[in-house]
C-alpha cells in the first residue's frame, strides 16, 4: 500500500539554525498538510497546500515557516531560524480531496532544538 | 474552551472488553476523523465520517451531527489495540483539522 514517507526521522539542531523537513506524499494525492505535536500536547494544524500554493495556515505558521513542493514528489517544511519552542514531532499528511477522503500520515520527524 | 473534547482521557480495560471512546465538538463540521497514534508516535487514519456509522473489522464509528457527538467502539479488545485514539474535525468552510487531546487506551491481557 502506498505510504507517505518523511525524512529524517529525527533532527537535532541548534537554536537559530534553519531546518528543512522532507515529505514524499502519495503520488496521486493532491492535498498536502503539515501538523505538529509538541511533546505531551495535542496535534496542531500548521498548513495545507494545494495546486502549488498554501490554501490554509494556522496562527502558528508565521514568517519563520515556509512550505514548498520543489518537484513532482517532495513536499518540504522549512523553519528559517529555529527556536526552542519549535521542538516537536512534525507530521506530513496527504489526501486525494480536501475533506472528503481519508488522510494518510507519515511517521513524523522529531525535531529537537537545543 | 477546546472545540473538540474527548472522554475518557485514559481508559484501561481487560482483553475482550467492549470499548467506547466519546468525542464532542462545538462547531459545524464537514467531516470527522478518528485516528490512532501508536506508542512510537505514528498516526493512522481509522475512519472519516460525515454521517451515520462505519465499521471496519472490530472497530465501529458513529456520528450524530445534530448532537455534535461521535463515538468509537472496539469490540473484543486486544492488547494490540493499546494506543492513543484521537478525534479530529474539519470545521465548515476551512481545511484546518482541529484535534482532540486523545484518549489513551491500555488493554491488559
Amino acid at each position: 500500500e502506498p505510504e507517505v514517507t518523511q525524512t529524517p526521522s529525527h533532527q537535532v539542531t541548534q537554536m537559530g539554525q534553519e531546518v528543512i523537513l522532507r515529505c514524499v506524499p502519495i503520488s496521486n494525492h493532491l492535498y498536502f498538510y503539515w501538523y505538529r505535536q509538541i511533546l505531551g500536547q495535542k496535534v496542531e494544524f500548521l498548513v495545507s497546500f494545494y495546486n502549488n500554493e498554501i490554501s490554509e495556515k494556522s496562527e502558528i505558521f508565521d514568517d519563520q515557516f515556509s512550505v514548498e513542493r520543489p518537484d513532482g514528489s517532495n513536499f518540504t517544511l522549512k523553519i528559517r531560524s529555529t527556536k526552542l519552542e519549535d521542538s516537536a514531532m512534525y507530521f506530513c499528511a496527504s489526501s486525494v480531496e480536501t475533506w472528503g477522503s481519508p488522510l494518510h500520515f507519515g511517521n513524523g520527524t522529531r525535531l529537537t532544538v537545543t | 474552551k477546546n472545540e473538540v473534547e474527548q472522554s475518557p482521557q485514559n481508559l484501561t480495560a481487560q482483553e475482550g472488553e467492549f470499548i467506547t471512546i466519546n468525542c464532542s465538538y462545538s462547531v459545524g463540521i464537514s467531516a470527522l476523523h478518528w485516528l490512532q497514534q501508536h506508542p512510537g508516535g505514528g498516526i493512522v487514519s481509522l475512519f472519516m465520517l460525515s454521517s451515520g456509522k462505519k465499521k471496519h473489522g472490530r472497530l465501529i464509528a458513529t456520528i450524530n451531527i445534530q448532537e455534535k457527538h461521535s463515538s468509537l467502539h472496539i469490540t473484543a479488545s486486544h492488547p494490540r489495540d493499546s494506543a492513543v485514539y484521537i478525534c479530529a474535525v474539519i470545521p465548515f468552510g476551512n481545511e484546518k483539522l482541529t484535534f482532540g487531546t486523545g484518549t489513551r487506551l491500555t488493554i491488559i491481557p
Side-chain angles (χ1 to χ4, degrees):
Chain A
E1 186 176 326
E3 290 182 338
V4 176
T5 56
Q6 288 186 244
T7 54
S9 56
H10 191 187
Q11 173 98 42
V12 181
T13 190
Q14 288 192 321
M15 198 167 54
Q17 295 296 304
E18 174 183 286
V19 294
I20 297 177
L21 309 183
R22 300 179 194 280
C23 170
V24 179
I26 294 174
S27 61
N28 65 331
H29 286 188
L30 302 176
Y31 293 84
F32 314 113
Y33 310 87
W34 283 102
Y35 301 93
R36 80 169 186 192
Q37 185 176 34
I38 295 170
L39 188 63
Q41 297 187 21
K42 63 181 181 178
V43 181
E44 300 171 291
F45 169 86
L46 289 178
V47 66
S48 59
F49 191 87
Y50 169 71
N51 200 26
N52 282 320
E53 60 183 23
I54 291 173
S55 48
E56 292 263 7
K57 61 182 181 178
S58 71
E59 302 75 24
I60 303 165
F61 194 89
D62 61 22
D63 292 343
Q64 292 298 312
F65 291 89
S66 62
V67 289
E68 200 176 35
R69 188 156 161 82
D71 53 42
S73 60
N74 290 287
F75 179 50
T76 61
L77 175 70
K78 183 193 291 186
I79 310 175
R80 286 191 187 80
S81 178
T82 50
K83 308 185 200 58
L84 295 176
E85 54 265 36
D86 294 327
S87 295
M89 182 78 98
Y90 288 81
F91 292 101
C92 173
S94 69
S95 63
V96 174
E97 298 173 337
T98 180
W99 59 264
S101 60
L103 279 172
H104 295 257
F105 286 84
N107 284 330
T109 293
R110 182 168 298 284
L111 177 65
T112 303
V113 182
T114 62
Chain B
K1 185 186 185 300
N2 290 328
E3 288 180 314
V4 182
E5 300 272 1
Q6 287 185 237
S7 63
Q9 287 189 311
N10 293 284
L11 178 56
T12 300
Q14 291 289 131
E15 183 173 355
E17 285 190 40
F18 181 82
I19 303 299
T20 296
I21 298 170
N22 295 299
C23 174
S24 296
Y25 51 92
S26 58
V27 296
I29 66 169
S30 304
L32 179 145
H33 290 259
W34 280 104
L35 309 167
Q36 181 191 54
Q37 187 167 30
H38 299 296
I43 296 175
V44 174
S45 177
L46 298 175
F47 293 104
M48 190 205 58
L49 294 164
S50 52
S51 65
K53 176 178 170 178
K54 287 191 176 179
K55 184 175 190 293
H56 185 248
R58 294 180 295 106
L59 302 178
I60 303 165
T62 63
I63 189 167
N64 185 319
I65 294 292
Q66 286 74 30
E67 294 187 4
K68 293 188 169 61
H69 182 267
S70 176
S71 293
L72 176 69
H73 306 285
I74 305 174
T75 61
S77 58
H78 190 277
R80 65 173 174 267
D81 297 326
S82 298
V84 175
Y85 291 84
I86 302 170
C87 171
V89 302
I90 302 177
F92 278 134
N94 70 59
E95 298 162 12
K96 298 180 187 179
L97 198 58
T98 302
F99 293 78
T101 52
T103 295
R104 183 173 300 278
L105 175 65
T106 304
I107 303 297
I108 299 170

